[in-house]
Amino acid sequence: MYPDKKITIAIDGYSSCGKSTLAKALAKKLGYIFIDSGAMYRGVTLYCMRHQLILDGKPLNEKIEQALPFIKLSFIYNASTEKHDLYLNDENVEELIRMPDVASNVSHIATIKCVREKLVDEQQKMGQYGGIVMDGRDIGSVVFPNAELKLFVTASPEIRAERRLKELTQKGVSANFKTVLANLVERDLIDSTRTESPLIQTKDAVFIDTSNLTPTEQLQLSLTFVNQVLENCKDKTNC
Ligand code: DC
């Protein structure tokens, strides 16, 4: 069904809009690598929290820059979840980085220029051979501006908060709708108004509203776009 050509798929969008679920499903279907770039920002945030590099909610930028060479992030495949877990300096932190305390600090860490430069560099290396689906906020605009397919995914804030709350509850983390919604809205604002690589929908991105789509419907819809790109690539040598 899918030819040998391995494209790059960039998925951007607001927090908890389902982009990681979609990216993971697309990668599985296509036999591509899936990278959750948000996990990397969360990993740096966890390191900063553990090393007192965030004071009263404010990141200590200079100290964080000095610490960057000591932050090693890697993804290792977990057969039970069929997903790559994030390792911070060889420790599996996949669960820890999803906790509300990391969520409430991560947007601030993601505004720091040197943090973004380090992570963008690592992300570009991971995707240099194509065959990758990466989701985040700046994937189509900064990390892979030449990606063959760019998707911009969103859903209403209330629906996103409900989904996030369900995820947390399933993990046994206590949270309430109001707090989750407030965190999402705050993160949306910081992510889309920051100076460094704000979240934007690039002109060449396809817009998908997942509010009323099941994960299966989102996958089917996205596969139609993938097929269009692959079809267009058939007779082009530069594609
Ligand atoms: O996708 P997520 O919610 O796990 O992302 C966590 C935070 O990291 C989010 O507030 C925005 C930031 N982020 C970013 O700035 N750039 C990316 N490519 C991915 C995430």
Side-chain angles (χ1 to χ4, degrees):
M1 185 178 175
Y2 301 106
D4 289 344
K5 166 77 189 163
K6 290 207 180 274
I7 61 169
T8 296
I9 304 176
I11 305 185
D12 289 300
Y14 293 104
S15 300
S16 303
C17 63
K19 56 190 188 310
S20 283
T21 306
L22 172 62
K24 182 180 158 187
L26 264 179
K28 189 174 178 199
K29 184 85 187 167
L30 299 167
Y32 285 12
I33 298 166
F34 158 57
I35 298 291
D36 167 5
S37 70
M40 300 171 76
Y41 288 93
R42 287 170 181 266
V44 173
T45 304
L46 181 63
Y47 182 97
C48 293
M49 289 165 65
R50 284 176 168 178
H51 291 81
Q52 289 78 47
L53 302 178
I54 303 174
L55 259 193
D56 299 329
K58 290 215 172 89
L60 306 177
N61 291 18
E62 267 180 39
K63 288 195 172 163
I64 292 173
E65 183 159 15
Q66 287 160 12
L68 283 181
F70 305 100
I71 304 178
K72 193 185 100 185
L73 300 171
S74 46
F75 286 101
I76 297 180
Y77 188 70
N78 179 336
S80 62
T81 57
E82 297 183 325
K83 192 176 172 281
H84 287 78
D85 287 347
L86 185 82
Y87 283 67
L88 168 61
N89 293 335
D90 302 320
E91 173 194 353
N92 187 333
V93 292
E94 186 58 38
E95 288 287 317
L96 286 176
I97 60 167
R98 309 289 164 193
M99 294 298 141
D101 53 347
V102 174
S104 59
N105 282 302
V106 64
S107 278
H108 300 286
I109 295 296
T111 61
I112 305 172
K113 191 168 187 240
C114 59
V115 171
R116 302 204 70 84
E117 283 170 354
K118 173 187 165 83
L119 299 190
V120 167
D121 183 58
E122 290 179 13
Q123 290 153 7
Q124 287 174 335
K125 283 184 183 134
M126 290 175 195
Q128 62 187 317
Y129 303 115
I132 189 166
V133 187
M134 191 178 288
D135 80 292
R137 306 293 187 290
D138 60 342
I139 310 305
S141 56
V142 176
V143 182
F144 300 127
N146 299 321
E148 287 90 344
L149 179 62
K150 298 180 187 178
L151 303 177
F152 188 88
V153 185
T154 192
S156 76
E158 290 73 19
I159 286 187
R160 291 188 281 128
E162 261 169 37
R163 290 176 183 163
R164 186 79 194 111
L165 185 63
K166 198 172 157 198
E167 260 173 45
L168 288 170
T169 312
Q170 276 168 354
K171 284 182 186 164
V173 179
S174 78
N176 68 67
F177 180 78
K178 234 173 123 183
T179 317
V180 172
L181 178 63
N183 175 259
L184 280 185
V185 172
E186 190 201 359
R187 283 205 284 150
D188 288 353
L189 183 70
I190 299 173
D191 294 343
S192 50
T193 56
R194 67 186 178 214
T195 317
E196 296 296 327
S197 318
L199 169 65
I200 51 159
Q201 182 187 350
T202 59
K203 282 195 182 127
D204 51 353
V206 180
F207 181 86
I208 300 179
D209 185 340
T210 66
S211 300
N212 298 308
L213 295 179
T214 65
T216 308
E217 288 166 340
Q218 293 168 37
L219 175 63
Q220 295 304 336
L221 179 63
S222 304
L223 283 171
T224 62
F225 299 124
V226 172
N227 283 326
Q228 279 169 16
V229 171
L230 291 173
E231 198 58 37
N232 285 342
C233 281
K234 256 185 190 164
D235 304 314
K236 292 186 195 161
T237 48
N238 64 342
C239 196

